[in-house]
Amino acid sequence: MRSDTPAAAPQLLPDLVEALRGDLSRARYTVERTEQLLGEVAVAALHREDPLPARRALAGASDPAAILFSLFTLGAELPAARVAEVLPTLGTGGAQQLGILAPAAGRAAAGGAPSLLHATIDLSPYSAQDDHGHIDWWIASDRSELATGAALRPDHVLGVGGASLTLARITPRARVGRVLDLGCGSGIQALHATRHATHVIATDLSERALAFTAFNAALNRAQVEVRQGSLLDPVAGETFDLIVSNPPFVITPRTPGDDTDRFTYRDGGRAGDSLLAELLEALPAHLAPGGTAVMLGNWERSGSQEWDQHPRRWLARAQAEGLDCWVIQRESEDPAQYAGTWARDGGITPRDPQWPCLIDGWLDDFESRDVRDIGFGYVLMRRPLPAAPTDAVAAGGSGPTPGAPAPAPAGGPAGTMRIEQATGTGSGSLGGHLAAGLRMMQRLRAMDDAQLARTRPRRAADLIERRHLVPGAWDPSLIELVQGAGLARTIPADQVLAATVGALDGTLTLGQTIGAVCALTGDDPDQVEKRLMPQLRELLLTGMLEL
């Protein structure tokens, strides 16, 4: 059953927020410390959304971090005196003013003071590593089912989940001016952006989500501007160097007159996957030259369509306007799997009486469009930098005004559209890898094969060659080029391609290297170069070769 308890949002009272920060720091309330206290078994159980081992591990613990984790994440009701010990600066009164603690129902001591307190929000430590170093933060959000034992409310504000972590990993971290976190939720993407941006704007349809984002920014001493509104409405006419978004893309069945509660954080209220189509059509106008958009999404495949038909159609206009577009499908689910995934996400299981009706509604909706499966993955766009600086910049002018509308297309060349399925993940920074791929699209588009042959590529340090041989044979039956970083791709190669790649150390030009290999194999260099160029361009785009 869904909880009827009114949803709370923390109050932005700067002095009290700073007092809370000091108490959390003194308590060593970090991911590292809480995992030490919990132990491997309890940590693994929490990842499975089972709180019992964690509650057992922390039962009776006196460590301040253990008490805070029990209170704010595990949903414990604790004596007011014990809570006061771990929040000595803020105090229990200050915590109640902030709206993060409340008296447990019916648990008042003599004189009316609460004998037991419970948290009204989740307040968890967060740890990460990005291109700018180590991060230790605290993230406030709504309490999870793990703490409440109840299904989520429609206006639930998520903490840091798997999708949030994925989006943070694939986002480029180069220093930029203006960043937009579209559909910010509790604000984790906006917080990450403050480490490498001059100005960060976070938008959301939910006023409660923006309250959590503002609170988290203050708690972690970050500067974030929050604006309320649907999709891109709050930033009409503005452009950004980076747009990052985990939009409410979940495909949820709706019928005329249906006023069923939707989860604001995930359901866009559109038919099928049309919300993503609408967003991708509008995004290009908000990208400054050199600007990048990075987002998560899903798309339907109906009937005999190829899986990429919808994203190709959505991005066709952006490509025609000169933007480089990249879609990566990471996985797919059939309609029944998809319905079950998101029903469970909302706290409904097959044991609940509403399960059959809920799943039937989803399956009927997918059947009405002949949907065979739903893909999940990443969508990236980049507006290329101008080929040459403007006269104003060349003469020492200031160039475009930050945040001004993007220039209208001038009839230039179309951008590159790259569509791929990639399920692996290698080492290193995935955000940096994807950003390098987008930049390489522009570089390669500007070079014909003759120009490319005059460059001096190098094979990437993480690239290895794998050979498969029938036992006792001298010649391999299969050669593969294997990427250790990025998306851990594997590309088949013949002897000539493998030899060419193996010799690319930046000393000779690409044309010279192909000529040297052909001198050994007896092949015609011109024919080999013509045959290898598409493959070598692919290796450059994937980062297996570097320029």
Side-chain angles (χ1 to χ4, degrees):
M1 297 294 294
R2 185 163 287 155
S3 170
D4 292 323
T5 304
Q11 300 299 303
L12 190 57
L13 304 172
D15 291 344
L16 294 182
V17 171
E18 191 62 24
L20 172 62
R21 176 187 171 85
D23 287 340
L24 297 178
S25 296
R26 281 185 288 274
R28 296 173 59 203
Y29 189 42
T30 64
V31 171
E32 181 181 11
R33 180 58 179 156
T34 54
E35 289 186 347
Q36 288 173 349
L37 294 166
L38 288 166
E40 292 182 5
V41 172
V43 169
L46 284 174
H47 289 159
R48 301 190 301 270
E49 300 186 355
D50 178 5
L52 182 58
R55 288 173 177 150
R56 289 172 59 90
L58 301 184
S62 59
D63 187 285
I67 295 171
L68 289 168
F69 193 81
S70 296
L71 180 67
F72 285 111
T73 299
L74 299 180
E77 296 181 350
L78 297 178
R82 172 163 286 192
V83 176
E85 291 174 359
V86 298
L87 297 174
T89 308
L90 177 64
T92 58
Q96 291 179 75
Q97 282 184 263
L98 280 179
I100 64 175
L101 291 181
R107 302 296 186 93
S115 60
L116 291 178
L117 293 172
H118 72 92
T120 59
I121 65 168
D122 184 290
L123 182 59
S124 294
Y126 173 78
S127 178
Q129 187 81 22
D130 66 13
D131 295 352
H132 303 284
H134 184 74
I135 295 167
D136 275 316
W137 287 332
W138 305 279
I139 304 298
S141 63
D142 274 326
R143 297 198 298 165
S144 68
E145 295 171 80
L146 179 145
T148 66
L152 304 183
R153 297 175 54 86
D155 59 354
H156 184 84
V157 177
L158 281 178
V160 182
S164 299
L165 294 173
T166 295
L167 185 55
R169 282 194 294 267
I170 68 172
T171 300
R173 298 299 172 193
R175 296 203 176 275
V176 293
R178 290 166 52 83
V179 175
L180 171 64
D181 178 6
L182 191 159
C184 60
S186 57
I188 187 61
Q189 309 304 328
L191 286 177
H192 272 285
T194 61
R195 291 167 59 82
H196 60 97
T198 304
H199 187 195
V200 178
I201 296 175
T203 67
D204 205 288
L205 182 63
S206 166
E207 185 176 357
R208 295 189 62 256
L210 294 175
F212 274 106
T213 292
F215 183 86
N216 286 327
L219 182 60
N220 294 290
R221 294 177 176 170
Q223 295 294 320
V224 176
E225 178 186 348
V226 299
R227 300 183 190 177
Q228 185 179 13
S230 177
L231 299 179
L232 290 158
D233 289 349
V235 292
E238 298 180 50
T239 61
F240 297 88
D241 303 299
L242 174 64
I243 298 175
V244 59
S245 181
N246 179 16
F249 59 76
V250 176
I251 300 165
T252 306
R254 289 290 175 265
T255 56
D258 183 0
D259 59 356
T260 304
D261 285 338
R262 296 196 307 267
F263 291 108
T264 306
Y265 72 88
R266 73 179 200 192
D267 299 332
R270 310 294 200 277
D273 54 15
S274 59
L275 180 134
L276 212 57
E278 177 184 332
L279 182 55
L280 290 172
E281 183 175 339
L283 267 180
H286 294 272
L287 283 176
T292 302
V294 183
M295 59 192 297
L296 306 182
N298 64 201
W299 35 83
E300 297 178 337
R301 180 180 71 88
S302 299
S304 59
Q305 292 178 348
E306 296 295 325
W307 72 264
D308 59 352
Q309 182 164 325
H310 282 200
R312 280 189 185 277
R313 186 176 72 244
W314 300 338
L315 294 168
R317 179 178 172 184
Q319 182 193 16
E321 292 179 1
L323 276 73
D324 294 318
C325 307
W326 195 352
V327 178
I328 303 170
Q329 179 164 292
R330 300 291 275 171
E331 60 179 314
S332 64
E333 290 185 345
D334 63 48
Q337 286 177 297
Y338 188 92
T341 293
W342 294 109
R344 290 183 177 90
D345 178 79
I348 308 299
T349 73
R351 295 183 295 276
D352 294 313
Q354 59 265 55
W355 176 272
C357 182
L358 189 65
I359 300 302
D360 271 341
W362 246 302
L363 297 182
D364 286 345
D365 182 60
F366 284 133
E367 190 174 304
S368 71
R369 295 185 298 278
D370 192 24
V371 174
R372 303 302 175 89
D373 55 52
I374 303 95
F376 297 82
Y378 319 147
V379 181
L380 299 94
M381 286 192 291
R382 179 176 182 264
R383 182 180 293 281
L385 286 165
T390 64
D391 293 340
V393 174
S398 60
T401 302
T416 298
M417 185 180 298
R418 180 176 177 82
I419 307 283
E420 65 177 314
Q421 297 185 73
T423 58
T425 301
S427 60
S429 167
L430 191 52
H433 170 79
L434 297 175
L438 287 168
R439 292 192 299 270
M440 185 59 69
M441 289 180 188
Q442 182 177 6
R443 292 188 67 184
L444 291 176
R445 191 167 56 250
M447 287 189 285
D448 61 23
D449 286 351
Q451 292 170 314
L452 183 57
R454 293 193 291 272
T455 64
R456 300 176 189 272
R458 302 171 303 279
R459 64 182 178 278
D462 62 284
L463 180 63
I464 64 170
E465 180 184 298
R466 188 162 57 199
R467 295 185 171 229
H468 302 260
L469 296 93
V470 175
W474 290 103
D475 294 324
S477 57
L478 176 64
I479 303 173
E480 294 176 319
L481 301 177
V482 182
Q483 183 177 47
L487 292 169
R489 301 174 180 87
T490 297
I491 293 180
D494 60 16
Q495 294 274 22
V496 176
L497 177 60
T500 301
V501 170
L504 290 174
D505 60 3
T507 303
L508 301 177
T509 68
L510 185 53
Q512 290 169 338
T513 303
I514 292 173
V517 169
C518 289
L520 296 174
T521 64
D523 292 306
D524 179 85
D526 292 336
Q527 292 183 0
V528 168
E529 182 175 309
K530 184 177 180 180
R531 177 171 64 84
L532 291 190
M533 278 303 182
Q535 296 171 289
L536 293 166
R537 285 177 178 271
E538 173 69 8
L539 293 174
L540 285 163
L541 274 174
T542 59
M544 293 171 141
L545 294 178
E546 299 171 349
L547 276 178

